Amino acid sequence: MLTMKRRDFTLSALAPLLLSACGGGSDNTAFPPGPKADAADALKRATHYMDDTVSYQGGYVWSYSPDLKQTFGEMEAYRTMCWIQPPGTPSVGHVYLDAYHATGDERHWRAAERTATAIMAAQHPSGGWNYIHDFAGEASLKQWYETIGKNGWRLEEFQHYYGNATFDDAGTAVASQFLLRMYLERREARYLPAVHKAIDFVVNAQFGPEYGVASGGWPQRFPHFPGAVSSMPLPNPSQVPAGAKAGMEDGDYTLHVTFNDDVMGENIKFLTLCVMALGETRLLPNISRAMECMRLMQQPGPQAGWGLQHLSREKDGRPAGSPAGARSYEPRSLATHTTQTNIRQLFNYFQLTGDRKYLARIPEAIAWLKSCPLPADAATVNPLLGGGRTHPTFVELGTNDGLYVHRYGSNIHNGAYYVDKNYTNTVSHYSAGRPIDIAGLEATYAKLNGMTDAAVADLAARSPLKVAAGGRYPNTFRSARWTFRTCSPAP
């Protein structure tokens, strides 16, 4: 089975390095005999196979049987489909560009071009992307939702066809960033309209000032589908233990301000790249509002964290900004891993702006994380809570008790998910515990908070958010996964 890990795809490309020259490649790039030449040859053979044999019109899913007769994304897929959700089509495109930079071989560039074409074909008219695209057409996609998708136990986002696009799982962000890379590589105009559509999608989907505390946030999906599901069936309800919670506590979650999968961080990153690379200074207010939304959504002490989602508007007497439930296994709660992610993002926003307000309440968030570790015997009674996990994924509002996901039954027709405080027998496919690096958070906070005013002013002066329209931008960007390079100043 050919497969890739779902969450191994990340991009953090805001740290400029030294300028480096870009050069064209050829199909016959030669390395001296040895490991480098062997690696380059293996890369080229892999690209040939993936592009010529595995892909469908340049698109990819996640996993394939050796004969390609069975294909899977997060669920079983048609052969005519491509998966946008990482590690799908855009993820493969980034790998091709990395291989091109590593070897200079044009074969990798041509594969990246074909993948970019597939991604542009999959782009929703609104400018974003759905999780999946079917080259056989919309009727085929709807049939998939009505047969395979609707039987996706837990996978509630695939059970109904909404006909819109999503920020979930970084699909739109990863596709947008890849097309931006493709344009910047050689300044080929054919990629720019799709990039502009993606920018417009992010801008149009953002909650406006009329939403108060939610201003600057993003929903899970856009444009909103009025028929979005707001409840889940609960077959055999007698199997839900006393005191447990089941179902979608806050109804249609696609309108909530979404932090899950770092939606806000990914969108801020993409818009910032567009400021840096394209001189799109009109996006600076959108970036600022988003950073402020994250800051303001932090809950009051002593539970000074964040949830996966927060209400974008008042609901049942609960104000906008309150933590919200989403899918049936995502209870109304605070989320420890999301809080850690948001703390790290606030570190980034301080470094981008020089504004100490982004550091002001981080000690409260760290103090809250210290207050809710896993029980001492958690890893002993439940091996799924071992492996370096230190905290429950979800923490109940008010009591500060951990909440854990379970299910009964064997499929969507006779079973359901529920949440309670029992940390044994948790589901294996959705982690009940998370590794929270409190020492690392404290060290970073101490380092940044200890900077002198002069050092902070110098940091802010060099921020990519200070770029003037039409100015130069850093030519090289690096992440833990790759470096991507561009060759000319923004037009």
Side-chain angles (χ1 to χ4, degrees):
M1 178 74 77
L2 175 66
T3 188
M4 294 178 285
K5 288 186 178 179
R6 174 174 179 260
R7 303 303 297 167
D8 269 2
F9 181 83
T10 59
L11 170 64
S12 177
L14 298 184
L17 301 176
L18 299 175
L19 303 186
S20 63
C22 279
S26 72
D27 284 358
N28 300 307
T29 303
F31 292 94
K36 188 174 289 188
D38 293 341
D41 179 65
L43 272 175
K44 188 167 185 174
R45 286 187 285 111
T47 292
H48 269 303
Y49 177 69
M50 293 294 290
D51 188 33
D52 294 345
T53 303
V54 175
S55 79
Y56 189 90
Q57 297 186 19
Y60 299 87
V61 292
W62 291 4
S63 305
Y64 300 82
S65 62
D67 60 6
L68 305 182
K69 291 182 178 179
Q70 287 184 295
T71 63
F72 296 86
E74 195 162 11
M75 295 186 69
E76 184 178 358
Y78 295 159
R79 182 67 177 106
T80 55
M81 283 181 163
C82 73
W83 226 260
I84 300 299
Q85 178 188 17
T89 304
S91 308
V92 177
H94 280 293
V95 170
Y96 287 148
L97 281 182
D98 294 346
Y100 170 66
H101 286 150
T103 65
D105 194 322
E106 285 287 321
R107 181 65 186 88
H108 305 301
W109 172 255
R110 291 199 302 273
E113 287 182 307
R114 193 159 175 259
T115 297
T117 299
I119 292 170
M120 290 189 290
Q123 191 172 25
H124 188 269
S126 64
W129 282 265
N130 188 21
Y131 301 94
I132 49 181
H133 175 73
D134 194 336
F135 290 105
E138 207 71 2
S140 178
L141 180 61
K142 289 180 180 179
Q143 181 185 34
W144 181 89
Y145 274 98
E146 292 166 0
T147 53
I148 296 173
K150 77 173 186 178
N151 288 298
W153 200 21
R154 179 187 70 85
L155 300 170
E156 294 155 22
E157 61 270 37
F158 297 116
Q159 292 173 9
H160 307 277
Y161 173 84
Y162 286 175
N164 56 9
T166 184
F167 290 109
D168 190 31
D169 280 327
T172 286
V174 172
S176 302
Q177 292 162 8
F178 173 65
L179 292 180
L180 178 62
R181 280 185 81 183
M182 289 297 293
Y183 170 69
L184 295 175
E185 189 66 42
R186 297 185 179 181
R187 299 280 170 176
E188 294 183 8
R190 58 179 164 153
Y191 299 115
L192 202 52
V195 172
H196 284 150
K197 281 182 66 177
I199 293 171
D200 290 343
F201 175 78
V202 175
V203 169
N204 292 336
Q206 190 175 35
F207 291 119
E210 67 273 19
Y211 285 90
V213 69
S215 174
W218 282 277
Q220 204 251 14
R221 298 186 72 100
F222 185 81
H224 180 246
F225 177 64
V229 170
S230 59
S231 64
M232 286 293 295
L234 190 64
N236 304 313
S238 62
Q239 295 191 50
V240 178
K245 298 177 181 179
M248 299 168 65
E249 291 183 274
D250 288 302
D252 173 15
Y253 65 88
T254 68
L255 280 173
H256 299 335
V257 174
T258 303
F259 294 111
N260 189 21
D261 294 318
D262 199 19
V263 163
M264 188 171 289
E266 288 289 344
N267 287 344
I268 290 172
K269 180 170 62 185
F270 173 61
L271 295 181
T272 302
L273 286 171
C274 291
V275 172
M276 296 167 70
L278 304 177
E280 285 274 9
T281 54
R282 67 185 175 95
L283 302 176
L284 291 173
N286 302 90
I287 295 169
S288 296
R289 285 198 297 114
M291 293 191 294
E292 187 69 356
C293 180
M294 181 178 288
R295 188 180 74 86
L296 293 177
M297 285 280 180
Q298 184 179 3
Q299 296 302 288
Q303 289 187 297
W306 289 263
L308 293 183
Q309 296 84 205
H310 291 236
L311 296 179
S312 62
R313 60 208 77 194
E314 183 273 339
K315 181 177 176 62
D316 300 330
R318 298 170 59 238
S322 301
R327 290 168 288 195
S328 63
Y329 52 92
E330 294 170 332
R332 183 190 299 164
S333 62
L334 297 178
T336 56
H337 62 301
T338 299
T339 295
Q340 176 171 249
T341 296
N342 286 4
I343 290 171
R344 289 170 172 166
Q345 289 293 9
L346 291 175
F347 289 152
N348 292 335
Y349 304 154
F350 165 69
Q351 294 175 86
L352 283 170
T353 66
D355 195 328
R356 293 186 185 272
K357 69 181 180 181
Y358 294 110
L359 299 181
R361 295 193 61 211
I362 285 177
E364 292 181 66
I366 294 175
W368 173 67
L369 288 171
K370 287 181 174 180
S371 76
C372 56
L374 284 166
D377 66 344
T380 302
V381 300
N382 184 355
L384 293 175
L385 293 175
R389 294 172 177 84
T390 59
H391 287 67
T393 294
F394 299 117
V395 176
E396 188 173 44
L397 297 170
T399 67
N400 216 39
D401 294 335
L403 296 174
Y404 304 91
V405 180
H406 308 269
R407 71 181 183 184
Y408 64 86
S410 60
N411 58 62
I412 193 173
H413 302 290
N414 63 26
Y417 285 76
Y418 63 91
V419 176
D420 63 15
K421 299 180 182 182
N422 177 5
Y423 51 91
T424 64
N425 299 316
T426 55
V427 296
S428 62
H429 55 271
Y430 192 89
S431 182
R434 306 288 168 148
I436 305 299
D437 182 12
I438 288 177
L441 296 176
E442 289 183 319
T444 302
Y445 171 76
K447 178 180 178 180
L448 295 177
N449 193 52
M451 293 177 66
T452 65
D453 289 344
V456 172
D458 179 65
L459 188 71
R462 292 183 286 109
S463 168
L465 298 182
K466 301 291 186 182
V467 66
R472 294 189 64 86
Y473 56 89
N475 290 53
T476 307
F477 306 93
R478 170 163 290 182
S479 77
R481 300 288 183 219
W482 54 74
T483 299
F484 82 79
R485 302 173 295 177
T486 56
C487 299
S488 57

